[in-house]
Amino acid sequence: MTRHDEFVDRFGSVFEHSPWVAERAFPAIDSQRLSVGAVHAAMVEAFRSASEAERMQVLRAHPDLAGRLAIAGGLTADSKAEQASAGLDRLTPEEHQRFTTLNAIYTDKFGFPFIIAVKGLTKTDILSAFESRVDNGVDQEFETAAAEVEKIALLRLTSMLPGDSE
């Protein structure tokens, strides 16, 4: 296995179901030490340099918060742990119905699921952000969701490279 293949194998899931981000980032960090900062910067640059359609594919690869995949057990291990950390796996029936309604409205309006880096947030924080952002314009929300994807990537890299705060 080449260094490139090892890198993509290790970091290919950092951007949800989008290993192409790691593939494109690899040349920028090939000769550098693998630090959180270097890997995140290279992956963010690859993501931001992608076409809008490619970036949209990354947004669409994310699951609905507290949605059907969560109920069916179809989340990636990272998504499952992230949603559970915010209590989204323990919603009341009323809370679940509110998330389901907002997921439908949001996805119909923007064409991708609501994305937020949930670490450190409560389900109340997330619901409040959800209710606020659903009123955003399409371009504003695309950029907000892309920024949240980058935050999620940083959190995932930090857990993958513990002890490295660069």
Side-chain angles (χ1 to χ4, degrees), residues 7-20 22 43:
F7 180 83
V8 174
D9 188 53
R10 184 172 183 187
F11 299 109
S13 65
V14 169
F15 281 70
E16 195 91 9
H17 299 293
S18 304
W20 61 265
M43 293 185 86

Side-chain angles (χ1 to χ4, degrees), residues 59 65 98 102 105-107 109-110 112-118 121 125-149 151-152:
L59 300 183
L65 288 177
R98 185 66 183 140
L102 285 168
I105 293 168
Y106 186 96
T107 303
K109 181 175 180 180
F110 300 112
F112 54 87
F114 177 74
I115 300 167
I116 190 167
V118 299
L121 301 178
D125 297 330
I126 296 165
L127 194 55
S128 176
F130 209 157
E131 290 172 336
S132 173
R133 285 175 45 192
V134 78
D135 293 328
N136 284 347
V138 172
D139 292 341
Q140 178 187 10
E141 191 54 26
F142 183 89
E143 292 306 320
T144 299
E148 291 296 322
V149 165
K151 285 184 201 174
I152 293 167

Side-chain angles (χ1 to χ4, degrees), residues 54-122:
E54 290 171 318
R55 294 174 71 203
M56 179 63 87
Q57 287 177 341
V58 173
L59 300 183
R60 288 180 175 156
H62 280 261
D64 288 339
L65 288 177
R68 288 183 302 249
L69 277 178
I71 293 169
L75 297 177
T76 64
D78 287 331
S79 290
K80 183 176 180 180
E82 290 159 2
Q83 291 197 25
S85 75
L88 297 180
D89 60 340
R90 300 176 302 278
L91 297 176
T92 66
E94 294 79 19
E95 290 169 333
H96 186 267
Q97 183 56 49
R98 185 66 183 140
F99 270 95
T100 299
T101 300
L102 285 168
N103 277 328
I105 293 168
Y106 186 96
T107 303
D108 285 347
K109 181 175 180 180
F110 300 112
F112 54 87
F114 177 74
I115 300 167
I116 190 167
V118 299
K119 185 170 184 172
L121 301 178
T122 65

